[in-house]
Amino acid sequence: MLHRLISSARTTASCRRLLSKSHAQSINLRPPTINSSSQIRWHGDGPGPNAPTVNVTFVNPDDSRTTVSARVGETLLQTSHRTGMEMEGACEGVCACSTCHIIMEQKLYDQQLDVMEDGALSEDEEDMLDMAVGLTQTSRLGCQIMVEENMEGAVFTLPKNTRNFYVDGHKPIPH
């Protein structure tokens, strides 16, 4: 997708140079844009140790609760890896699996949908959630949820089961 976006931007720039200014204005030629709710996910560590933090609670598969300090600007998957929570993230956070499936509180889920384009999850996230075990109406992928300041005190439930999790007791370590 990034390749297509860059190619499209180059093509647009070339067309703009070739067309006269008045003709380009008459057909309303504009470079492609990225919607604000669409985010390109990169591998990496997140916003850094000096980022503002909020306290979030994970309800573990055994029903115990763990409260951690999440950095604003990182994903919930990055938070879980940084704090030692048991969230696999087999695809390393690029929305290509369902192993970071979490269940959100209804109010926070609704707030997240309100700011998304068309008030819906991305097609990629919906496709991956179709593979999740224990799917609910407030299910999301941890790699797609960016920690925000309004998440102070939020509770996220880790499902009792997940698909692709190592069965030999191995706990993945992000790199």
mmCIF file of all heavy atoms in Angstrom, residues 3 29-30 35-36 45-46 49 55 74 80 83 93 118 121 127 129 134 136 142-143 154 158-159 173-174:
data_model
loop_
_atom_site.group_PDB
_atom_site.id
_atom_site.type_symbol
_atom_site.label_atom_id
_atom_site.label_comp_id
_atom_site.label_asym_id
_atom_site.label_seq_id
_atom_site.Cartn_x
_atom_site.Cartn_y
_atom_site.Cartn_z
ATOM 1 N N HIS A 3 3.796 1.538 -1.214
ATOM 2 C CA HIS A 3 4.376 1.645 -2.538
ATOM 3 C C HIS A 3 3.398 2.317 -3.499
ATOM 4 O O HIS A 3 3.764 3.193 -4.275
ATOM 5 C CB HIS A 3 4.774 0.267 -3.058
ATOM 6 C CG HIS A 3 5.233 0.274 -4.483
ATOM 7 N ND1 HIS A 3 6.424 0.839 -4.870
ATOM 8 C CD2 HIS A 3 4.643 -0.193 -5.614
ATOM 9 C CE1 HIS A 3 6.557 0.721 -6.167
ATOM 10 N NE2 HIS A 3 5.488 0.093 -6.645
ATOM 11 N N LEU A 29 -6.828 18.870 -9.741
ATOM 12 C CA LEU A 29 -5.823 17.844 -9.517
ATOM 13 C C LEU A 29 -5.169 18.042 -8.157
ATOM 14 O O LEU A 29 -4.642 19.092 -7.856
ATOM 15 C CB LEU A 29 -4.766 17.923 -10.629
ATOM 16 C CG LEU A 29 -3.704 16.846 -10.679
ATOM 17 C CD1 LEU A 29 -4.355 15.483 -10.895
ATOM 18 C CD2 LEU A 29 -2.737 17.128 -11.808
ATOM 19 N N ARG A 30 -5.251 17.027 -7.291
ATOM 20 C CA ARG A 30 -4.672 17.103 -5.960
ATOM 21 C C ARG A 30 -3.862 15.851 -5.669
ATOM 22 O O ARG A 30 -4.203 14.777 -6.142
ATOM 23 C CB ARG A 30 -5.778 17.183 -4.901
ATOM 24 C CG ARG A 30 -6.424 18.510 -4.820
ATOM 25 C CD ARG A 30 -7.407 18.526 -3.659
ATOM 26 N NE ARG A 30 -8.646 19.052 -4.190
ATOM 27 C CZ ARG A 30 -9.833 18.564 -3.961
ATOM 28 N NH1 ARG A 30 -9.986 17.521 -3.203
ATOM 29 N NH2 ARG A 30 -10.891 19.104 -4.488
ATOM 30 N N ASN A 35 -6.099 9.355 5.166
ATOM 31 C CA ASN A 35 -7.124 9.731 6.134
ATOM 32 C C ASN A 35 -6.542 9.731 7.530
ATOM 33 O O ASN A 35 -5.710 8.899 7.870
ATOM 34 C CB ASN A 35 -8.297 8.744 6.064
ATOM 35 C CG ASN A 35 -8.993 8.807 4.726
ATOM 36 O OD1 ASN A 35 -9.100 9.880 4.135
ATOM 37 N ND2 ASN A 35 -9.458 7.664 4.247
ATOM 38 N N SER A 36 -7.029 10.647 8.356
ATOM 39 C CA SER A 36 -6.461 10.773 9.698
ATOM 40 C C SER A 36 -6.666 9.524 10.539
ATOM 41 O O SER A 36 -5.893 9.250 11.432
ATOM 42 C CB SER A 36 -7.055 11.990 10.411
ATOM 43 O OG SER A 36 -8.458 11.820 10.553
ATOM 44 N N ASP A 45 9.762 0.697 18.732
ATOM 45 C CA ASP A 45 9.563 0.687 20.169
ATOM 46 C C ASP A 45 8.509 1.649 20.675
ATOM 47 O O ASP A 45 8.193 1.662 21.841
ATOM 48 C CB ASP A 45 10.893 0.997 20.875
ATOM 49 C CG ASP A 45 11.933 -0.077 20.607
ATOM 50 O OD1 ASP A 45 11.531 -1.227 20.386
ATOM 51 O OD2 ASP A 45 13.125 0.243 20.613
ATOM 52 N N GLY A 46 7.980 2.518 19.868
ATOM 53 C CA GLY A 46 6.964 3.450 20.324
ATOM 54 C C GLY A 46 7.541 4.811 20.643
ATOM 55 O O GLY A 46 8.617 5.173 20.176
ATOM 56 N N PRO A 49 10.751 6.702 26.434
ATOM 57 C CA PRO A 49 10.544 6.670 27.879
ATOM 58 C C PRO A 49 10.050 7.985 28.487
ATOM 59 O O PRO A 49 9.533 7.989 29.593
ATOM 60 C CB PRO A 49 11.922 6.309 28.434
ATOM 61 C CG PRO A 49 12.875 6.716 27.364
ATOM 62 C CD PRO A 49 12.152 6.558 26.062
ATOM 63 N N ASN A 55 -2.453 5.101 33.321
ATOM 64 C CA ASN A 55 -2.567 3.781 33.926
ATOM 65 C C ASN A 55 -3.725 3.035 33.286
ATOM 66 O O ASN A 55 -4.849 3.555 33.229
ATOM 67 C CB ASN A 55 -2.789 3.892 35.435
ATOM 68 C CG ASN A 55 -1.569 4.447 36.136
ATOM 69 O OD1 ASN A 55 -0.449 4.034 35.852
ATOM 70 N ND2 ASN A 55 -1.771 5.401 37.021
ATOM 71 N N GLU A 74 1.919 4.941 22.091
ATOM 72 C CA GLU A 74 2.284 3.571 21.734
ATOM 73 C C GLU A 74 1.001 2.761 21.599
ATOM 74 O O GLU A 74 -0.063 3.183 22.044
ATOM 75 C CB GLU A 74 3.232 2.942 22.764
ATOM 76 C CG GLU A 74 2.625 2.615 24.112
ATOM 77 C CD GLU A 74 3.652 2.078 25.119
ATOM 78 O OE1 GLU A 74 4.811 1.827 24.756
ATOM 79 O OE2 GLU A 74 3.268 1.912 26.284
ATOM 80 N N SER A 80 1.950 -3.899 26.213
ATOM 81 C CA SER A 80 1.977 -5.236 26.810
ATOM 82 C C SER A 80 3.360 -5.863 26.710
ATOM 83 O O SER A 80 3.837 -6.479 27.663
ATOM 84 C CB SER A 80 0.920 -6.137 26.183
ATOM 85 O OG SER A 80 1.245 -6.430 24.848
ATOM 86 N N THR A 83 5.802 -4.136 29.188
ATOM 87 C CA THR A 83 5.529 -4.386 30.608
ATOM 88 C C THR A 83 5.447 -5.861 30.969
ATOM 89 O O THR A 83 5.155 -6.207 32.105
ATOM 90 C CB THR A 83 4.224 -3.685 31.029
ATOM 91 O OG1 THR A 83 3.141 -4.190 30.232
ATOM 92 C CG2 THR A 83 4.331 -2.177 30.876
ATOM 93 N N GLY A 93 2.750 -6.531 15.228
ATOM 94 C CA GLY A 93 1.996 -5.288 15.233
ATOM 95 C C GLY A 93 1.646 -4.697 13.890
ATOM 96 O O GLY A 93 1.410 -3.496 13.796
ATOM 97 N N ASP A 118 -15.796 6.732 8.970
ATOM 98 C CA ASP A 118 -17.044 5.991 8.771
ATOM 99 C C ASP A 118 -17.537 5.328 10.061
ATOM 100 O O ASP A 118 -18.419 4.480 10.008
ATOM 101 C CB ASP A 118 -16.897 4.927 7.682
ATOM 102 C CG ASP A 118 -16.552 5.514 6.330
ATOM 103 O OD1 ASP A 118 -17.001 6.643 6.049
ATOM 104 O OD2 ASP A 118 -15.827 4.858 5.571
ATOM 105 N N LEU A 121 -14.296 -0.009 12.225
ATOM 106 C CA LEU A 121 -12.929 -0.521 12.203
ATOM 107 C C LEU A 121 -12.455 -0.620 10.760
ATOM 108 O O LEU A 121 -13.258 -0.702 9.833
ATOM 109 C CB LEU A 121 -12.870 -1.912 12.845
ATOM 110 C CG LEU A 121 -13.399 -2.059 14.266
ATOM 111 C CD1 LEU A 121 -13.261 -3.505 14.721
ATOM 112 C CD2 LEU A 121 -12.697 -1.129 15.203
ATOM 113 N N ASP A 127 -10.998 -8.143 9.192
ATOM 114 C CA ASP A 127 -10.594 -9.435 8.622
ATOM 115 C C ASP A 127 -9.798 -10.263 9.633
ATOM 116 O O ASP A 127 -9.997 -11.468 9.757
ATOM 117 C CB ASP A 127 -9.760 -9.249 7.352
ATOM 118 C CG ASP A 127 -10.599 -8.766 6.169
ATOM 119 O OD1 ASP A 127 -11.841 -8.824 6.257
ATOM 120 O OD2 ASP A 127 -9.996 -8.321 5.176
ATOM 121 N N LEU A 129 -9.849 -9.912 12.941
ATOM 122 C CA LEU A 129 -10.713 -10.258 14.071
ATOM 123 C C LEU A 129 -11.590 -11.469 13.748
ATOM 124 O O LEU A 129 -11.967 -12.214 14.655
ATOM 125 C CB LEU A 129 -11.582 -9.070 14.484
ATOM 126 C CG LEU A 129 -10.875 -8.013 15.318
ATOM 127 C CD1 LEU A 129 -11.741 -6.765 15.453
ATOM 128 C CD2 LEU A 129 -10.480 -8.551 16.681
ATOM 129 N N GLY A 134 -13.114 -16.279 20.661
ATOM 130 C CA GLY A 134 -13.855 -15.551 21.692
ATOM 131 C C GLY A 134 -14.203 -14.121 21.301
ATOM 132 O O GLY A 134 -14.240 -13.222 22.142
ATOM 133 N N THR A 136 -16.015 -10.731 20.573
ATOM 134 C CA THR A 136 -17.165 -10.050 21.168
ATOM 135 C C THR A 136 -17.476 -8.803 20.348
ATOM 136 O O THR A 136 -16.728 -8.446 19.436
ATOM 137 C CB THR A 136 -16.889 -9.617 22.626
ATOM 138 O OG1 THR A 136 -15.959 -8.525 22.617
ATOM 139 C CG2 THR A 136 -16.360 -10.768 23.459
ATOM 140 N N GLY A 142 -4.937 -5.308 19.717
ATOM 141 C CA GLY A 142 -4.076 -4.435 20.511
ATOM 142 C C GLY A 142 -3.092 -3.636 19.686
ATOM 143 O O GLY A 142 -2.706 -2.528 20.052
ATOM 144 N N CYS A 143 -2.706 -4.168 18.530
ATOM 145 C CA CYS A 143 -1.750 -3.455 17.668
ATOM 146 C C CYS A 143 -2.396 -2.272 16.962
ATOM 147 O O CYS A 143 -1.700 -1.422 16.405
ATOM 148 C CB CYS A 143 -1.120 -4.400 16.650
ATOM 149 S SG CYS A 143 -2.264 -5.043 15.397
ATOM 150 N N ALA A 154 -8.600 2.877 32.016
ATOM 151 C CA ALA A 154 -9.311 1.941 31.131
ATOM 152 C C ALA A 154 -8.963 0.500 31.484
ATOM 153 O O ALA A 154 -7.869 0.206 31.976
ATOM 154 C CB ALA A 154 -8.958 2.222 29.668
ATOM 155 N N LEU A 158 -7.954 -9.571 28.331
ATOM 156 C CA LEU A 158 -7.274 -10.521 27.445
ATOM 157 C C LEU A 158 -8.130 -11.786 27.393
ATOM 158 O O LEU A 158 -8.537 -12.307 28.434
ATOM 159 C CB LEU A 158 -5.882 -10.847 27.979
ATOM 160 C CG LEU A 158 -4.929 -9.657 28.111
ATOM 161 C CD1 LEU A 158 -3.629 -10.084 28.797
ATOM 162 C CD2 LEU A 158 -4.633 -9.066 26.755
ATOM 163 N N PRO A 159 -8.442 -12.284 26.199
ATOM 164 C CA PRO A 159 -9.288 -13.479 26.116
ATOM 165 C C PRO A 159 -8.626 -14.688 26.759
ATOM 166 O O PRO A 159 -7.404 -14.755 26.877
ATOM 167 C CB PRO A 159 -9.480 -13.680 24.611
ATOM 168 C CG PRO A 159 -8.516 -12.792 23.935
ATOM 169 C CD PRO A 159 -7.999 -11.800 24.908
ATOM 170 N N ILE A 173 9.374 -13.074 22.894
ATOM 171 C CA ILE A 173 10.044 -11.849 23.321
ATOM 172 C C ILE A 173 10.165 -10.954 22.108
ATOM 173 O O ILE A 173 10.755 -11.338 21.100
ATOM 174 C CB ILE A 173 11.447 -12.153 23.886
ATOM 175 C CG1 ILE A 173 11.322 -13.059 25.114
ATOM 176 C CG2 ILE A 173 12.166 -10.857 24.260
ATOM 177 C CD1 ILE A 173 12.643 -13.585 25.618
ATOM 178 N N PRO A 174 9.553 -9.761 22.158
ATOM 179 C CA PRO A 174 9.640 -8.872 20.986
ATOM 180 C C PRO A 174 11.079 -8.441 20.748
ATOM 181 O O PRO A 174 11.886 -8.353 21.671
ATOM 182 C CB PRO A 174 8.768 -7.684 21.386
ATOM 183 C CG PRO A 174 8.620 -7.765 22.848
ATOM 184 C CD PRO A 174 8.844 -9.187 23.257
#
